[in-house]
Amino acid sequence: MATENYLSLSAAELQQKKAYWTAREISQQPALWQQIASEHQGRAVALNAFLQAQLAKPNLRIILTGAGTSAYRSNLCHLLHFT
């Protein structure tokens, strides 16, 4: 049986530090982002049409919530929209 490792630490070490679930979540994100990017490539036309209609609203406010990746996405969206 293989030993679980996340962020170069064993599952036992992470559980002792109460960091198991956080490390597991962080470790899975690169593959998840690649999967999401691939899925959205096939929906780009529909997604762009939806976004253009929403972004045309003069008083639009967008709120992204979550952990650190949400802040990254927010900054990226702002950069792409206003530059």
Side-chain angles (χ1 to χ4, degrees), residues 36-61:
I36 290 169
S38 294
E39 290 174 5
H40 283 285
Q41 283 179 342
R43 300 181 186 132
V45 172
L47 182 58
N48 284 337
F50 170 78
L51 288 174
Q52 290 305 315
Q54 300 310 308
L55 293 172
K57 296 177 180 179
N59 295 321
L60 176 69
R61 292 190 64 174

Side-chain angles (χ1 to χ4, degrees), residues 1-2 11 16 24 28 30 32 34 39 42 44 49 52-53 55 58 63-66 72-73 81:
M1 183 169 130
Q16 181 182 10
R24 184 174 171 202
Q28 66 138 5
L32 179 61
Q34 289 178 340
E39 290 174 5
Q52 290 305 315
L55 293 172
I63 299 171
L64 301 174
T65 61
Y72 173 78
R73 281 194 320 260
H81 183 67

